[in-house]
Amino acid sequence: GDYTCTCSNGVVATGGSATCTNDECTSNPCGSGQTCKDTKTAANSLNDYTCTCTSDTTIKKTGGPASCNNDECASNPCGAGQTCKDPNQSPSSTGDYTCTCSNGVVATGGAATCTNDECTSSPCGTGQTCKDSCNNDECASNPCGAGQTCKDPNQSPSSTGDYTCTCSNGVVATGGSATCTKDECTSSPCGSGQTCKDANTAANSLHDFTCTCDSDTTITKTDGPATCAKDECASSPCGNGQTCKDPNQSPSSTGDYTCTCSNGVVATGGAATCTNDECTSSPCGSGQTCKDANTAANSLHDFTCTCDSDTTITKTDGPATCSKNECDKNPCATGQTCNDPTPIPSKTGDYTCTCSNGVVATGGSATCT
């Protein structure tokens, strides 16, 4: 295994065949946008390949990728508010980037001077007013309202409407006077029966107005109408066929609604008992029939009791007198026995008086001797 294999280009391997060539460009070491060339592909000739920029073939590098681009704008060489552009990003091209102001002023190879107020050096002297027409401070005409601070960030004549007006409470508007205050109650958001109050009328302080019920000042709501009325009848607390009415619909007034039956019976704070059959309690007692012709709850003492033994005998609002024993008045003479065979009010004069000797008389005292 100590034999050697030698290529024609001098590459030698021991104990096996030698790799005579090695094109380093095969692994694409230069990357995109560059051309790779390995002039010596001998396996023992390494890091001698060349990378050449396709955008500029004069830019080359041996043994690694060339620096084909150099964007001078990457370091932000222009001032704030300026636009930078590098038309030729070749490393060999420097100082050709441009800086452009918002008003169109352009400088090459450095930051542009966007404004130049020549009056700064007081060229007119004392007793004269200087104005540089190349600058346009929109705040000079006092476009903001009283008590507002005006600021024009770009005084170029081509830049208009970008000034700001700032209120003392921090409200800011651009291009015109700011609305420093806004009373949200102006639009009557609470509606009738309520009082609106906006404690903070700054234009940037919204949804903080308060609605207070006139009927009950303890009822308030922020950012919307308060619930001043509460109709207890809305939940249908009365029974079927009853009419509900809530005379005071303030949320603090509860239990004052009324329920009225079709027969006029009224209850407060709950469903009314519309009917009341007075016969339910059996006021007539046994041997009599009870009838309540008007069972309205407010119709009382109108029930009638009728004797079962004699339906002609009736009484209203109490038991009827169904029995009448004529003997109760002792119609017979002393020593005589009285007997009433039909003790009912409609049957009179049929009682008998009987003497001790058996003499009997009907409807009056007997003559015993």
Side-chain angles (χ1 to χ4, degrees):
D2 60 348
Y3 67 91
T4 61
C5 296
T6 305
C7 300
S8 59
N9 56 15
V11 176
V12 180
T14 301
S17 178
T19 301
C20 297
T21 61
N22 178 25
D23 187 349
E24 293 184 278
C25 289
T26 303
S27 62
N28 193 26
C30 299
S32 61
Q34 299 187 37
T35 302
C36 181
K37 186 174 182 180
D38 189 356
T39 56
K40 295 180 181 181
T41 58
N44 59 353
S45 176
L46 301 176
N47 299 318
D48 59 349
Y49 65 92
T50 303
C51 293
T52 302
C53 298
T54 55
S55 59
D56 188 343
T57 56
T58 63
I59 303 174
K60 301 180 180 182
K61 185 177 179 181
T62 301
S67 297
C68 298
N69 292 322
N70 178 27
D71 185 356
E72 293 184 277
C73 290
S75 61
N76 296 317
C78 302
Q82 299 184 32
T83 303
C84 182
K85 186 175 181 180
D86 188 353
N88 187 347
Q89 297 182 12
S90 168
S92 60
S93 174
T94 59
D96 61 342
Y97 69 92
T98 58
C99 295
T100 304
C101 302
S102 59
N103 57 15
V105 176
V106 181
T108 301
T113 302
C114 297
T115 60
N116 178 27
D117 188 351
E118 294 184 282
C119 290
T120 304
S121 61
S122 302
C124 298
T126 59
Q128 298 184 39
T129 301
C130 181
K131 184 175 182 181
D132 189 347
S133 60
C134 292
N135 289 326
N136 179 28
D137 185 356
E138 293 186 276
C139 290
S141 62
N142 296 319
C144 302
Q148 299 182 32
T149 302
C150 184
K151 185 176 181 181
D152 189 354
N154 188 344
Q155 297 181 12
S156 167
S158 60
S159 175
T160 60
D162 60 343
Y163 67 93
T164 58
C165 295
T166 304
C167 303
S168 59
N169 58 18
V171 177
V172 181
T174 301
S177 180
T179 302
C180 298
T181 61
K182 183 181 180 181
D183 187 346
E184 293 186 276
C185 290
T186 304
S187 61
S188 301
C190 299
S192 62
Q194 301 186 34
T195 300
C196 183
K197 185 175 181 181
D198 191 352
N200 188 346
T201 57
N204 58 354
S205 176
L206 302 176
H207 308 296
D208 58 351
F209 67 93
T210 303
C211 295
T212 302
C213 298
D214 296 337
S215 57
D216 188 342
T217 56
T218 63
I219 303 173
T220 63
K221 185 180 179 183
T222 301
D223 192 27
T227 304
C228 299
K230 182 183 179 182
D231 187 354
E232 294 186 276
C233 290
S235 61
S236 301
C238 302
N240 291 332
Q242 299 185 31
T243 301
C244 185
K245 186 176 181 181
D246 189 354
N248 186 346
Q249 297 183 9
S250 169
S252 61
S253 174
T254 59
D256 60 344
Y257 67 94
T258 59
C259 295
T260 304
C261 302
S262 58
N263 57 20
V265 176
V266 181
T268 300
T273 303
C274 297
T275 60
N276 179 24
D277 189 347
E278 294 184 277
C279 290
T280 303
S281 61
S282 302
C284 298
S286 62
Q288 300 186 37
T289 300
C290 182
K291 185 175 182 181
D292 191 352
N294 188 346
T295 57
N298 59 352
S299 177
L300 303 176
H301 308 297
D302 57 351
F303 67 93
T304 302
C305 294
T306 303
C307 296
D308 296 337
S309 58
D310 188 344
T311 56
T312 63
I313 302 173
T314 62
K315 185 179 179 182
T316 300
D317 193 26
T321 304
C322 296
S323 63
K324 183 180 181 183
N325 194 328
E326 293 184 277
C327 290
D328 290 342
K329 295 182 179 181
N330 298 316
C332 301
T334 302
Q336 298 182 26
T337 301
C338 183
N339 182 37
D340 189 351
T342 53
I344 60 175
S346 60
K347 190 71 172 176
T348 60
D350 61 342
Y351 68 92
T352 60
C353 294
T354 305
C355 301
S356 58
N357 57 12
V359 177
V360 179
T362 299
S365 184
T367 302
C368 297
T369 57

